[in-house]
Amino acid sequence: MSTGPGADSAPAPNRHHDAPTTSLPHLDRSPKRGSESGSKGGTFSSLRIRNYRLFATGQVVSNTGTWMQRIAQDWLVLSITGSSAAVGITTALQFLPLMLLGLYGGVIADRCPKRQLVLVTQAAMAVTGLALGVLTLTGHVQVWHVYLTALALGLVTVVDNPARQAFLVEMVGPADLRNAVSLNSANFQSARLVGPAVAGVLISAVGSGWAFLLNGLSFAAPIAALLLMRASELHKVDPTPRGKGQLREGLQHVASRPELIWPIVLVGFIGTFGFNFPIWLTAFVNDVFHADASTYGLLNTLMAAGSLVGALLAARRGTSRMRLLVGAALGFGLLEITAALAPSFWIFALLLVPIGMCGLTINVTANSGIQLAADPAMRGRVMSLFMMVFMGGTPLGAPLVGWVTDVYGPRVGFLAGGVVSTLAATAIGLVLLRAGGLRMRVGFRRGQPVVAFVPRPPSRQEAEARVPATA
């Protein structure tokens, strides 16, 4: 049984009606119903649940290995080719399957038991890390090996991402979902604090191969955690029976609900053009600051520190407000523009902390809000679309951003990403204001600027239409 006050001690009934039924995305709107409201158990409330504790423990180990491999992979490709565009190609290959096949991964996730499916995908990811480690340590690695491994990892991720995201609610239930998503992100960012630093030391001391090998071995932890879980304590959602038109059904579900479609569009723009940090940071380290792999690891660690703070702040919130998502996206873009123009290394480095905070806030707010707004029977398909546009847009953005960075320099490449993110946040924020019948009001209270969202007054035509016709 789950331990701690308020933890679930019995299997929950099948939840096919736990999603909010609102249709207008008011910027302050959040679910109010009891089982869907944010958890009140504190920042770490999800850890009271045994199955989630096991999951979180396994993930922090494998996430550390994953960040080690990311840093080592980027640096290995740059070392072999000397090209930022080649780093962009590697990133694109890893996310290309998400763009092409991501929606089908969501269909598979909805049709299969999530726990068993995640077991298979985690084992497959271990194989990719071990294979690249052996190739590198034996001195046979070539850039096409890295490309092929990145593509294989991307194919596994097509199924792993929606399955793991949808499995969260089965472990903790709807009431603790926002907290679990936030802690999952904090877990990932905690590993990001350690992984890049360890990778930088390993690369400098013994080469990239050991980072790849250790990443492959790290997947033993989540596999063991999944095997040790108590199935009776899961909030099970029955798999969706195989049928025709399920992919189209999922797309129609998203398109018909503003609280789903517009956050997905926003994170699509930001994920495609604003999250190309492997390209920008390697280029800044190599071409602007003329430093080595340890500096690259330091920059990633600073960004991770900001992301971790953002994740812990998100875990304390009981709701995921739309205006928070838009505000974080706007701040993210403006901070990227500022960092691109930073005159010194330490100003650039320190700006990565708030960039990490805003980026993580975007991810957590959109992720938890979309999961709770989606029909549980379609959660895998909805999350696959979310992950597809957030990460699968990288194959389009990464080569373009890499080319701009190579031709015009790292500052112009980073600046372009920030401009696109800022424009997307502004445009979609205005769309959401209009869809929610709101307008923004800026004023001052006690000498401090205050931004508020108030009901939009009806237009003259709308007011006239409300006046009943007289004889």
Side-chain angles (χ1 to χ4, degrees):
M1 294 175 67
S2 299
T3 59
D8 297 307
S9 59
N14 186 15
R15 286 166 165 81
H16 287 290
H17 303 286
D18 60 3
T21 57
T22 57
S23 59
L24 288 177
H26 287 256
L27 296 187
D28 287 327
R29 185 177 301 243
S30 58
K32 302 295 184 184
R33 291 158 49 185
S35 65
E36 295 151 3
S37 61
S39 171
K40 302 298 183 183
T43 304
F44 303 101
S45 61
S46 296
L47 292 176
R48 298 174 304 180
I49 301 168
R50 179 182 181 274
N51 284 341
Y52 182 76
R53 283 202 308 274
L54 287 169
F55 177 83
T57 302
Q59 287 296 303
V60 76
V61 176
S62 69
N63 285 337
T64 301
T66 295
W67 276 110
M68 290 170 59
Q69 174 151 327
R70 284 192 181 187
I71 302 302
Q73 176 181 279
D74 297 339
W75 200 257
L76 177 63
V77 171
L78 192 65
S79 300
I80 294 173
T81 66
S83 169
S84 294
V87 178
I89 291 170
T90 307
T91 305
L93 287 171
Q94 187 163 330
F95 296 110
L96 181 64
L98 274 174
M99 184 181 72
L100 299 178
L101 305 171
L103 292 175
Y104 293 97
V107 173
I108 294 171
D110 281 337
R111 287 177 178 175
C112 301
K114 308 298 186 295
R115 181 185 175 199
Q116 289 87 330
L117 194 56
V118 175
L119 269 170
V120 173
T121 58
Q122 295 289 293
M125 288 179 171
V127 171
T128 63
L130 293 172
L132 190 55
V134 170
L135 284 169
T136 307
L137 289 172
T138 57
H140 293 97
V141 71
Q142 299 179 39
V143 70
W144 71 267
H145 291 140
V146 185
Y147 288 164
L148 185 61
T149 304
L151 181 62
L153 187 61
L155 288 169
V156 178
T157 303
V158 166
V159 178
D160 180 75
N161 268 338
R164 269 192 306 111
Q165 295 294 332
F167 188 49
L168 275 179
V169 74
E170 294 192 21
M171 284 186 282
V172 303
D176 279 306
L177 178 61
R178 285 190 180 88
N179 183 262
V181 170
S182 301
L183 291 184
N184 224 36
S185 297
N187 185 321
F188 191 66
Q189 301 307 327
S190 298
R192 190 177 178 184
L193 287 170
V194 178
V198 174
V201 173
L202 282 175
I203 294 168
S204 299
V206 293
S208 302
W210 285 103
F212 300 137
L213 190 64
L214 289 173
N215 175 52
L217 295 174
S218 72
F219 283 95
I223 291 171
L226 289 163
L227 292 172
L228 290 170
M229 286 184 183
R230 295 171 181 165
S232 63
E233 296 176 7
L234 294 174
H235 297 244
K236 292 183 180 178
V237 174
D238 292 334
T240 302
R242 183 183 297 271
K244 293 183 179 180
Q246 290 179 330
L247 182 57
R248 183 175 63 254
E249 184 184 17
L251 291 174
Q252 290 173 344
H253 177 65
V254 171
S256 66
R257 307 186 67 167
E259 69 270 31
L260 293 177
I261 185 63
W262 289 115
I264 287 176
V265 171
L266 177 57
V267 298
F269 274 103
I270 291 177
T272 300
F273 298 104
F275 268 83
N276 291 286
F277 295 108
I279 298 170
W280 293 322
L281 296 188
T282 52
F284 265 86
V285 170
N286 201 48
D287 301 332
V288 177
F289 304 126
H290 307 292
D292 57 14
S294 61
T295 302
Y296 181 49
L298 172 64
L299 294 179
N300 277 276
T301 299
L302 288 171
M303 183 175 289
S307 299
L308 178 59
V309 173
L312 293 175
L313 290 174
R316 293 180 62 86
R317 298 187 195 105
T319 59
S320 298
R321 297 189 175 192
M322 199 71 73
R323 71 174 181 179
L324 177 63
L325 173 62
V326 174
L330 184 60
F332 178 81
L334 293 173
L335 284 166
E336 285 196 335
I337 292 171
T338 305
L341 303 175
S344 69
F345 171 79
W346 283 111
I347 293 176
F348 176 85
L350 292 175
L351 282 170
L352 294 177
V353 176
I355 287 174
M357 289 178 63
C358 288
L360 198 284
T361 302
I362 294 167
N363 192 358
V364 169
T365 306
N367 187 318
S368 58
I370 289 169
Q371 284 210 55
L372 285 172
D375 185 328
M378 298 187 188
R379 194 169 276 137
R381 280 164 283 179
V382 173
M383 292 311 296
S384 70
L385 180 61
F386 169 74
M387 299 305 297
M388 185 184 77
V389 300
F390 187 46
M391 301 171 67
T394 302
L396 298 176
L400 177 61
V401 168
W403 177 80
V404 171
T405 301
D406 276 342
V407 174
Y408 298 102
R411 293 189 184 276
V412 174
F414 204 2
L415 181 69
V419 169
V420 172
S421 299
T422 301
L423 292 176
T426 302
I428 292 173
L430 292 173
V431 169
L432 288 170
L433 279 171
R434 185 170 183 83
L438 301 174
R439 65 181 177 88
M440 184 170 66
R441 184 173 66 191
V442 180
F444 288 87
R445 181 182 301 164
R446 296 178 182 175
Q448 299 294 323
V450 176
V451 178
F453 298 95
V454 298
R456 177 169 51 89
S459 66
R460 182 177 179 181
Q461 292 81 1
E462 291 172 335
E464 290 176 350
R466 293 177 186 174
V467 177
T470 58

